[in-house]
Amino acid sequence: MTRTLVDNIGLLVTNDPSIDGTPLGLLPDAAFVVEGDLVTWVGPSQIAPRSEIANRVNAQGRCVIPGFVDSHAHLVFAGDRAAEFRARMQREGYDAGGINYTVELTRKASNGQLLQSARRLVAEANAAGTTTIECKSGYGLTVDDEARSLVVAKQVTDETTFLGAHVVPKEFRDSPDDYVDLVCGPMLNAALAHSKWIDVFCDKGAFTADQARQILKAGIAKGLLPRLHANQLEPGEGVQIGVELDAASVDHVSHISDADISALAKSNTVATLLPAAEFSTRSQYPDARRLFEAGVTVALASDCNPGSSYTTNMPFVIAIAVRDLRFSPEQALWSATKGGAMALRRTDVGHLSVGASADFSILSTPSYIHLAYRPGVPLIDEVWSHGNRIK
Ligand code: NIG
Ligand code: FE
């Protein structure tokens, strides 16, 4: 097995609190060893093992961080909504109405076109330091179009999510309950082989709390794991449903009550914030400080989709979180790595300690603070996934 030594790391972020007693587990002047696809040694550069090393990567004092874990993305769709974005920036607010436009284009696209577009987005994400990405369906909304969306998703990631309950498609406008039955029955059955997760957009203009509960329970009964879009556009029961069903994560959470926050704090459910969506729709940001004060586990993700957040760039998400949501740079980096891993219930990614997947980025800078301090500047020099250099 090839042994690679990464040494002369100015600052290594391990996310292993046993290193320094802080969540980021910071180690200055560090090195680590990769064997195959795993990290097998971490420690001071001076005492790094140097025998039988096939490959040496000299970090030359730069900062090394775990690969970003982007736990919320919609990557299977056709076309874009640039005109909607332009109109929204001038005057109109965001609602979920544009989703059906993307559904129309997605239904017309071939599997090859959808795969090419999803791969392009994953390549973009990889180049910006993302090494694990979740991918939802949700722009097909027929049995066949949801199934083929998930077949495409499965070709770009193992973290695939059935989101047949994104919105009620036009043809079911007058009979939404029939659509819910379709989602819970034939569509779910067709999605099962290609999905790990089930998600529902529980919000204004999408699905009610009762419908969300029914759909998530149907998925759970067939072995899928629940997560949901909750409280993005207005207050509601989304967070409570997530906690009640032990969802891995409730996502967006821009409109939440004290009761929602205390329920989350007592649960295993992560709150995943998607501030690039609020940025791109000029909407109210979630109150991250309140979540942190209550001890809620917080993740950051891109929400990449053609409507509300057309970005795959996690450093950009970190920059918004630090500037506008008042995360500390440490909280933001942790939430974009370990927090994302927890939102996917993964223990093998989001950290760099012995036994972890060798997924990491070498920044061009001596510190991770620069990710927010130098917004919009590409600072990711190298990206490694499963022990292989991909950038
Ligand atoms: O997460 N909230 C629902 N879905 C997406 C938006 C999808 C779209 O507008 O196309 C989101 O923001
Ligand atoms: Fe989303």
Side-chain angles (χ1 to χ4, degrees):
M1 211 181 295
T2 319
R3 282 181 111 202
T4 300
L5 171 68
V6 186
D7 68 354
N8 288 337
I9 300 169
L11 185 63
L12 176 65
V13 177
T14 65
N15 284 341
D16 174 355
S18 73
I19 298 267
D20 69 346
T22 77
L24 285 191
L26 297 174
L27 193 61
D29 304 318
F32 62 92
V33 174
V34 174
E35 285 183 56
D37 56 356
L38 298 179
V39 174
T40 56
W41 186 91
V42 180
S45 200
Q46 270 182 332
I47 59 162
R50 286 172 196 278
S51 63
E52 290 169 57
I53 294 294
N55 191 13
R56 177 182 172 220
V57 179
N58 184 347
Q60 295 177 309
R62 292 170 292 174
C63 180
V64 174
I65 62 173
F68 297 124
V69 180
D70 184 351
S71 61
H72 184 136
H74 309 245
L75 306 177
V76 184
F77 60 86
D80 73 19
R81 308 225 297 270
E84 177 190 317
F85 175 79
R86 179 173 60 187
R88 186 165 74 230
M89 288 303 104
Q90 295 309 307
R91 51 183 182 277
E92 293 156 22
Y94 175 80
D95 61 28
I99 295 175
N100 265 311
Y101 174 78
T102 302
V103 169
E104 235 171 83
L105 298 182
T106 303
R107 287 176 179 175
K108 285 188 204 137
S110 68
N111 295 354
Q113 286 167 327
L114 294 177
L115 181 59
Q116 192 183 23
S117 150
R119 284 207 166 123
R120 179 182 61 85
L121 293 169
V122 171
E124 235 179 60
N126 289 157
T130 296
T131 49
T132 304
I133 193 160
E134 183 258 13
C135 179
K136 302 173 197 299
S137 66
Y139 292 108
L141 311 189
T142 65
V143 173
D144 285 351
D145 289 309
E146 282 298 295
R148 70 192 186 96
S149 296
L150 287 161
V151 169
V152 167
K154 189 76 190 156
Q155 288 173 82
V156 299
T157 183
D158 289 335
E159 299 294 344
T160 54
T161 302
F162 170 45
L163 179 59
H166 198 182
V167 287
V168 175
K170 278 191 188 134
E171 61 277 17
F172 283 90
R173 189 177 284 153
D174 299 324
S175 52
D177 288 336
D178 291 345
Y179 184 66
V180 172
D181 290 342
L182 182 71
V183 171
C184 294
M187 201 184 276
L188 172 60
N189 287 335
L192 278 181
H194 324 291
S195 315
K196 172 175 173 185
W197 303 96
I198 183 162
D199 190 345
V200 174
F201 183 16
C202 177
D203 222 312
K204 180 171 68 180
F207 293 88
T208 66
D210 287 345
Q211 290 169 333
R213 216 179 248 114
Q214 184 188 339
I215 294 162
L216 292 172
K217 282 186 172 169
I220 294 167
K222 298 264 167 134
L224 299 186
L225 304 170
R227 50 195 319 104
L228 74 158
H229 285 72
N231 308 58
Q232 175 186 4
L233 305 174
E234 63 179 16
E237 286 174 59
V239 168
Q240 300 288 345
I241 294 170
V243 170
E244 170 191 317
L245 298 179
D246 188 31
S249 178
V250 287
D251 296 17
H252 283 289
V253 300
S254 302
H255 299 271
I256 50 175
S257 65
D258 288 344
D260 291 333
I261 292 177
S262 69
L264 277 173
K266 286 185 229 133
S267 76
N268 284 322
T269 300
V270 172
T272 298
L273 309 192
L274 310 166
E278 282 78 42
F279 177 89
S280 301
T281 56
R282 209 176 277 128
S283 317
Q284 177 187 307
Y285 285 118
D287 192 340
R289 299 298 338 152
R290 269 167 79 214
L291 291 166
F292 282 122
E293 277 157 22
V296 173
T297 303
V298 175
L300 283 169
S302 70
D303 195 18
C304 177
N305 76 78
S308 63
S309 180
Y310 201 6
T311 182
T312 49
N313 195 286
M314 290 296 283
F316 173 66
V317 173
I318 286 174
I320 303 172
V322 170
R323 200 205 96 98
D324 287 343
L325 283 75
R326 296 178 185 271
F327 280 57
S328 67
E330 290 72 26
Q331 287 169 327
L333 180 57
W334 188 92
S335 293
T337 51
K338 181 81 183 180
M342 290 176 74
L344 293 173
R345 301 245 161 117
R346 293 274 297 268
T347 55
D348 57 331
V349 296
H351 63 110
L352 289 171
S353 33
V354 172
S357 184
D359 298 350
F360 59 92
S361 292
I362 304 182
L363 307 186
S364 59
T365 55
S367 149
Y368 56 84
I369 300 170
H370 293 70
L371 291 167
Y373 170 50
R374 305 206 61 214
V377 180
L379 303 178
I380 309 289
D381 270 359
E382 284 186 28
V383 182
W384 292 66
S385 165
H386 295 99
N388 297 311
R389 184 166 175 187
I390 59 169
K391 182 191 181 184

